[in-house]
């Protein structure tokens, strides 16, 4: 497996890692009105490298809080991914983020590992 961190798409504080099998966005900190736009831009750029055989993984292990701005970024990415026939997997969801997705009905839109 080849891992290649690509600086030109690791913007807005959310690193993007490309491997032979996945494109991973590493999300950290609080995802809110101030950082949601950055997450949106990082997901959009990461999706340019994702394919049906190379899904997008969004790693939430280091996220402490996520509000509707983060939810909006995820839903927007999901719409784009669906058009490209790319799966989005969420990993490392904390209780608060999982609850946000459950309450809004968005959890079934993603594969959660």
């Amino acid at each position: 497996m080849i891992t290649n961190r690509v600086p030109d798409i690791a913007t807005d504080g959310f690193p993007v890692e490309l491997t032979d099998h996945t494109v991973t966005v590493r999300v950290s900190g609080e995802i809110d009105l101030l950082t949601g736009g950055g997450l949106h831009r990082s997901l959009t750029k990461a999706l340019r490298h994702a394919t049906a055989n190379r899904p997008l993984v969004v790693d939430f292990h280091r996220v402490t809080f996520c509000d509707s701005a983060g939810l909006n970024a995820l839903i927007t990415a999901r719409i784009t991914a669906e058009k490209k026939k790319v799966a989005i997997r969420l990993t490392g969801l904390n209780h608060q983020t999982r609850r946000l997705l459950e309450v809004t009905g968005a959890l079934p839109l993603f594969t959660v590992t």
Side-chain angles (χ1 to χ4, degrees):
M1 178 187 314
I2 299 170
T3 300
N4 180 19
R5 187 169 290 218
V6 181
D8 61 318
I9 62 170
T11 60
D12 298 304
F14 302 113
V16 176
E17 296 176 6
L18 302 177
T19 69
D20 290 341
H21 304 288
T22 62
V23 177
T24 303
V25 177
R26 306 254 181 228
V27 187
S28 62
E30 294 186 2
I31 310 303
D32 55 20
L33 186 60
L34 295 175
T35 58
L39 177 59
H40 169 73
R41 288 186 294 277
S42 291
L43 291 171
T44 298
K45 291 175 184 176
L47 279 167
R48 292 181 191 149
H49 299 274
T51 65
N53 296 319
R54 191 184 203 190
L56 174 61
V57 176
V58 186
D59 181 352
F60 278 85
H61 280 98
R62 300 178 80 185
V63 171
T64 56
F65 175 79
C66 183
D67 70 7
S68 61
L71 177 63
N72 185 45
L74 286 173
I75 298 295
T76 302
R78 172 65 166 80
I79 292 166
T80 301
E82 188 172 31
K83 290 175 186 174
K84 291 183 63 176
K85 305 213 183 298
V86 170
I88 297 181
R89 293 192 326 239
L90 307 181
T91 185
L93 294 178
N94 63 27
H95 176 72
Q96 183 271 320
T97 304
R98 179 180 287 275
R99 186 75 179 130
L100 172 67
L101 293 169
E102 287 172 349
V103 167
T104 59
L107 190 61
L109 299 175
F110 303 96
T111 300
V112 179
T113 57

